[in-house]
Amino acid sequence: MIYKMFTLVSEKSKYVRVRRGVELTDLEKELKTPVKEVFAGEIVPRGEEMLLYVAKPLENYAVIARKFGVGESELKDANFARPVYPTCRLYVPKKRV
């Protein structure tokens, strides 16, 4: 029996391996996109880069979506429908031209 070894060849810049002890906020800063639960050793693909926005008092998804010209549902999906409160960090998808 002959076993063939193979190597997965990929562009390193498209993926990030999650290191032990890395906080979600640090990983989000590196990827510039929101990240849900991950574990050490997991390989996370880089999504499209998004704008980081810090919410102000009395803002919600509808207000922020209008401000950036994106759909409210698209904004909610990008942020996993996290609650919006003053000083929370939200990722806003860039408008497609």
Side-chain angles (χ1 to χ4, degrees):
M1 217 186 271
I2 298 174
Y3 293 99
K4 292 187 178 184
M5 300 290 290
F6 64 92
T7 304
L8 177 64
V9 178
S10 63
E11 288 186 40
K12 276 189 159 185
S13 62
K14 289 186 177 183
Y15 302 94
V16 172
R17 181 181 298 272
V18 179
R19 296 176 307 278
R20 184 182 310 236
V22 171
E23 297 288 327
L24 276 180
T25 54
D26 296 333
L27 188 58
E28 286 178 340
K29 284 179 188 175
E30 184 178 338
L31 295 173
K32 296 181 183 168
T33 187
V35 177
K36 211 163 181 172
E37 302 166 19
V38 293
F39 56 88
E42 184 175 353
I43 296 175
V44 180
R46 291 181 187 268
E48 69 176 76
E49 287 188 10
M50 298 186 188
L51 302 170
L52 180 61
Y53 179 74
V54 178
K56 295 176 179 69
L58 303 175
E59 286 188 326
N60 56 26
Y61 281 116
V63 172
I64 297 168
R66 266 187 263 120
K67 183 182 273 187
F68 287 96
V70 297
E72 183 179 351
S73 61
E74 185 181 3
L75 185 61
K76 276 185 179 179
D77 291 344
N79 291 284
F80 308 114
R82 296 175 182 160
V84 179
Y85 53 89
T87 71
C88 81
R89 299 162 20 132
L90 295 173
Y91 287 89
V92 181
K94 293 181 180 178
K95 284 198 273 186
R96 293 174 185 90
V97 180

